[in-house]
Amino acid sequence: MQVIHTIAELRQARKQLGRVAMVPTMGALHEGHLSLMRLAQEHADAVIVSIFVNPTQFGPNEDFDRYPRDLDGDLQKCRDVGVAIVFAPSASEMYPNGLQHGTFVEVPELTTHLCGASRPGHFRGVTTVVSKLFLAVQPDVAIFGQKDYQQAAVIARMTQDLLMPIEIIAAPTSREADGLAMSSRNRNLKPEHRAAALGLCRGLTLAHQSFANGERDAQILEGIVESTMQSAAQNQSFSIDYVDCVHPESLKPLNTVGDGGAVICVAAFVGEVRLIDNLRLDLELPAELTQWRNP
Ligand code: AMP
């Protein structure tokens, strides 16, 4: 496996490869990332993983400094999976004219709600860095996780709008045995906050169950998620950022769930850690969540 830190070297190495699948990440890799890499291998001759904690997608009061970093551990995991190249650039390599003064890419339409509303500038940072990574790597296909449901939709829209010849694949969310969606930020969760963190997937499961029993009112479904999370949190430090029942493609908020189905997206702070999760109500419940259904 090659470990590359500069764009110039990356371009040289890329020329030797045939069909490439790319998996962009911010490192602190877990099984969810590795599942994306394995899926990538099925779609190409070689897999390129990028590891870059992108400063422009963090707001001024967010956790850029506290974001977990473990390059040595990450490289070992990538080696074990059989990745061809890990690209781990510096910020100055990615932003040669500085973080403020460069050229940015924006996708206005899908970014007004959900994380777009609560993290101003976040998606502008994401679409900009992913565009740069795509131009540097020139992958044939790129894999993103449905764990970041809105992000995958925004990236797919960006590649379509900018006529990028890259297939975007959205891969299912990997969960811990107790249902918690895997996330690099879980490393920052205090053990005493685990029960509160589990409120997210438990709330989503109960909304899924209610939908299966015929409930179609979005506000009621959102209310189930909110009240389940609040009671799971007990007296731990916990606050809800948003719980929104939206259309799976347009991401527009719904009043009533129609034939197009729905995804409920949630974001919450557990202690200092911001967690997100989501669930398609109209698709089968993932196996790790069945334990949270009401009898
Ligand atoms: P991150 O390093 O958190 O920026 O994530 C890099 C990629 O991995 C993104 O496409 C994420 O959606 C994806 N990802 C993160 N967590 C999971 C998970 N639990 N299951 C599947 N994909 C994930």
Side-chain angles (χ1 to χ4, degrees), residues 24-27 30 32-33 35-36 67 143-148 151 171-174 181-184:
T25 82
M26 298 207 299
H30 50 67
H33 295 116
S35 73
L36 267 47
Y67 197 85
I143 320 285
F144 289 82
Q146 283 167 354
K147 151 85 175 7
D148 299 86
Q151 172 174 278
T173 301
S174 299
M182 290 183 187
S183 163
S184 302

Short mmCIF file of all heavy atoms in Angstrom, two decimals, residues 24-27 30 32-33 35-36 67 143-148 151 171-174 181-184, ligand 1:
data_model
loop_
_atom_site.label_atom_id
_atom_site.label_comp_id
_atom_site.label_asym_id
_atom_site.label_seq_id
_atom_site.Cartn_x
_atom_site.Cartn_y
_atom_site.Cartn_z
N PRO A 24 -13.63 8.75 0.41
CA PRO A 24 -13.14 9.90 1.19
C PRO A 24 -13.51 9.75 2.67
O PRO A 24 -14.65 9.40 2.99
CB PRO A 24 -13.89 11.11 0.58
CG PRO A 24 -14.53 10.60 -0.67
CD PRO A 24 -14.74 9.13 -0.46
N THR A 25 -12.55 10.00 3.55
CA THR A 25 -12.82 9.91 4.99
C THR A 25 -12.07 11.02 5.74
O THR A 25 -11.17 11.64 5.20
CB THR A 25 -12.35 8.57 5.62
OG1 THR A 25 -10.94 8.64 5.89
CG2 THR A 25 -12.62 7.38 4.72
N MET A 26 -12.45 11.15 7.02
CA MET A 26 -11.70 12.04 7.91
C MET A 26 -10.89 11.23 8.92
O MET A 26 -10.47 11.75 9.96
CB MET A 26 -12.64 13.00 8.62
CG MET A 26 -13.39 13.91 7.63
SD MET A 26 -13.88 15.49 8.31
CE MET A 26 -14.95 14.99 9.62
N GLY A 27 -10.70 9.94 8.64
CA GLY A 27 -9.86 9.13 9.51
C GLY A 27 -10.55 8.69 10.78
O GLY A 27 -11.77 8.72 10.88
N HIS A 30 -13.31 3.22 11.43
CA HIS A 30 -14.02 2.15 12.14
C HIS A 30 -14.61 1.20 11.10
O HIS A 30 -14.42 1.40 9.88
CB HIS A 30 -15.11 2.75 13.05
CG HIS A 30 -16.00 3.74 12.35
ND1 HIS A 30 -16.87 3.38 11.35
CD2 HIS A 30 -16.12 5.08 12.48
CE1 HIS A 30 -17.52 4.44 10.93
NE2 HIS A 30 -17.07 5.50 11.58
N GLY A 32 -17.46 0.89 9.88
CA GLY A 32 -18.31 1.53 8.85
C GLY A 32 -17.46 1.97 7.66
O GLY A 32 -17.81 1.73 6.50
N HIS A 33 -16.32 2.61 7.94
CA HIS A 33 -15.41 3.01 6.86
C HIS A 33 -14.90 1.78 6.10
O HIS A 33 -14.82 1.79 4.88
CB HIS A 33 -14.19 3.75 7.43
CG HIS A 33 -14.50 5.05 8.10
ND1 HIS A 33 -14.28 5.25 9.45
CD2 HIS A 33 -14.99 6.21 7.64
CE1 HIS A 33 -14.62 6.49 9.77
NE2 HIS A 33 -15.06 7.10 8.69
N SER A 35 -16.28 -1.08 5.72
CA SER A 35 -17.33 -1.67 4.87
C SER A 35 -17.43 -0.91 3.54
O SER A 35 -17.66 -1.50 2.49
CB SER A 35 -18.68 -1.71 5.60
OG SER A 35 -19.22 -0.41 5.69
N LEU A 36 -17.21 0.40 3.59
CA LEU A 36 -17.20 1.19 2.35
C LEU A 36 -16.02 0.78 1.46
O LEU A 36 -16.14 0.69 0.24
CB LEU A 36 -17.08 2.69 2.68
CG LEU A 36 -18.36 3.52 2.83
CD1 LEU A 36 -19.40 2.87 3.68
CD2 LEU A 36 -18.06 4.94 3.28
N TYR A 67 -11.56 16.56 17.17
CA TYR A 67 -11.91 15.44 16.28
C TYR A 67 -10.82 14.37 16.40
O TYR A 67 -9.64 14.68 16.33
CB TYR A 67 -12.06 15.93 14.83
CG TYR A 67 -12.80 14.92 13.99
CD1 TYR A 67 -14.19 14.91 13.95
CD2 TYR A 67 -12.12 13.96 13.26
CE1 TYR A 67 -14.87 13.95 13.22
CE2 TYR A 67 -12.79 13.00 12.53
CZ TYR A 67 -14.18 13.01 12.51
OH TYR A 67 -14.85 12.05 11.78
N ILE A 143 -17.57 6.04 -3.01
CA ILE A 143 -18.53 5.44 -2.06
C ILE A 143 -18.72 6.37 -0.86
O ILE A 143 -17.73 6.81 -0.26
CB ILE A 143 -18.02 4.08 -1.53
CG1 ILE A 143 -17.36 3.24 -2.61
CG2 ILE A 143 -19.14 3.32 -0.82
CD1 ILE A 143 -18.25 2.58 -3.60
N PHE A 144 -19.97 6.63 -0.54
CA PHE A 144 -20.31 7.44 0.64
C PHE A 144 -21.29 6.65 1.50
O PHE A 144 -22.00 5.77 1.01
CB PHE A 144 -20.94 8.77 0.21
CG PHE A 144 -19.94 9.70 -0.43
CD1 PHE A 144 -19.61 9.56 -1.77
CD2 PHE A 144 -19.28 10.66 0.31
CE1 PHE A 144 -18.66 10.38 -2.36
CE2 PHE A 144 -18.32 11.48 -0.27
CZ PHE A 144 -18.01 11.34 -1.61
N GLY A 145 -21.33 6.98 2.79
CA GLY A 145 -22.19 6.23 3.71
C GLY A 145 -23.55 6.90 3.88
O GLY A 145 -23.65 8.12 3.96
N GLN A 146 -24.59 6.05 3.97
CA GLN A 146 -25.93 6.59 4.24
C GLN A 146 -26.05 7.11 5.66
O GLN A 146 -27.01 7.79 6.00
CB GLN A 146 -26.99 5.51 4.00
CG GLN A 146 -27.26 5.30 2.53
CD GLN A 146 -28.04 4.05 2.24
OE1 GLN A 146 -28.32 3.24 3.14
NE2 GLN A 146 -28.40 3.87 0.99
N LYS A 147 -25.09 6.77 6.51
CA LYS A 147 -25.06 7.33 7.86
C LYS A 147 -25.14 8.87 7.78
O LYS A 147 -25.81 9.52 8.56
CB LYS A 147 -23.78 6.87 8.55
CG LYS A 147 -23.19 7.78 9.58
CD LYS A 147 -23.83 7.55 10.92
CE LYS A 147 -23.22 8.34 12.06
NZ LYS A 147 -22.24 9.32 11.76
N ASP A 148 -24.42 9.44 6.79
CA ASP A 148 -24.50 10.88 6.51
C ASP A 148 -25.43 11.05 5.31
O ASP A 148 -24.99 11.31 4.19
CB ASP A 148 -23.11 11.43 6.23
CG ASP A 148 -22.17 11.24 7.42
OD1 ASP A 148 -21.56 10.16 7.53
OD2 ASP A 148 -22.09 12.15 8.25
N GLN A 151 -25.41 14.28 3.30
CA GLN A 151 -24.13 14.43 2.60
C GLN A 151 -24.09 13.60 1.31
O GLN A 151 -23.69 14.09 0.25
CB GLN A 151 -22.98 14.01 3.52
CG GLN A 151 -21.63 13.94 2.83
CD GLN A 151 -20.52 13.65 3.82
OE1 GLN A 151 -20.04 14.56 4.48
NE2 GLN A 151 -20.11 12.41 3.94
N ALA A 171 -23.73 3.65 0.63
CA ALA A 171 -23.65 2.34 1.30
C ALA A 171 -24.40 2.38 2.63
O ALA A 171 -24.44 3.43 3.29
CB ALA A 171 -22.18 1.98 1.54
N PRO A 172 -24.96 1.23 3.05
CA PRO A 172 -25.74 1.19 4.29
C PRO A 172 -24.92 1.51 5.55
O PRO A 172 -23.70 1.34 5.56
CB PRO A 172 -26.26 -0.24 4.36
CG PRO A 172 -25.56 -1.01 3.31
CD PRO A 172 -24.91 -0.06 2.36
N THR A 173 -25.60 1.95 6.58
CA THR A 173 -24.97 2.34 7.85
C THR A 173 -24.53 1.10 8.63
O THR A 173 -25.33 0.19 8.85
CB THR A 173 -25.98 3.14 8.70
OG1 THR A 173 -26.36 4.30 7.94
CG2 THR A 173 -25.38 3.56 10.03
N SER A 174 -23.28 1.09 9.07
CA SER A 174 -22.81 0.02 9.97
C SER A 174 -23.12 0.43 11.40
O SER A 174 -22.88 1.58 11.79
CB SER A 174 -21.30 -0.17 9.83
OG SER A 174 -20.97 -0.56 8.53
N ALA A 181 -25.14 3.80 15.70
CA ALA A 181 -24.48 3.99 14.40
C ALA A 181 -23.00 4.27 14.64
O ALA A 181 -22.64 5.11 15.47
CB ALA A 181 -25.12 5.16 13.66
N MET A 182 -22.14 3.53 13.94
CA MET A 182 -20.70 3.75 14.12
C MET A 182 -20.33 5.14 13.66
O MET A 182 -20.86 5.65 12.66
CB MET A 182 -19.91 2.72 13.34
CG MET A 182 -20.03 1.35 13.93
SD MET A 182 -19.00 0.20 13.02
CE MET A 182 -19.52 -1.32 13.79
N SER A 183 -19.43 5.77 14.40
CA SER A 183 -18.98 7.12 14.07
C SER A 183 -17.62 7.33 14.72
O SER A 183 -17.37 6.83 15.82
CB SER A 183 -19.98 8.14 14.65
OG SER A 183 -19.40 9.43 14.69
N SER A 184 -16.76 8.07 14.03
CA SER A 184 -15.47 8.40 14.64
C SER A 184 -15.67 9.14 15.96
O SER A 184 -14.90 8.97 16.90
CB SER A 184 -14.65 9.28 13.69
OG SER A 184 -14.47 8.62 12.46
P1 AMP B 1 -16.19 10.47 8.01
O1 AMP B 1 -14.82 9.97 8.19
O2 AMP B 1 -17.03 10.45 9.24
O3 AMP B 1 -16.22 11.80 7.28
O4 AMP B 1 -16.89 9.45 7.04
C1 AMP B 1 -16.33 9.04 5.83
C2 AMP B 1 -17.34 8.22 5.07
O5 AMP B 1 -17.71 7.09 5.85
C3 AMP B 1 -18.63 9.00 4.78
O6 AMP B 1 -19.10 8.67 3.49
C4 AMP B 1 -19.55 8.50 5.85
O7 AMP B 1 -20.91 8.58 5.51
C5 AMP B 1 -19.12 7.06 5.97
N1 AMP B 1 -19.51 6.51 7.27
C6 AMP B 1 -19.31 7.05 8.50
N2 AMP B 1 -19.86 6.28 9.45
C7 AMP B 1 -20.45 5.24 8.82
C8 AMP B 1 -21.20 4.10 9.24
N3 AMP B 1 -21.48 3.89 10.52
N4 AMP B 1 -21.64 3.23 8.30
C9 AMP B 1 -21.36 3.43 6.99
N5 AMP B 1 -20.67 4.49 6.51
C10 AMP B 1 -20.22 5.38 7.41
#
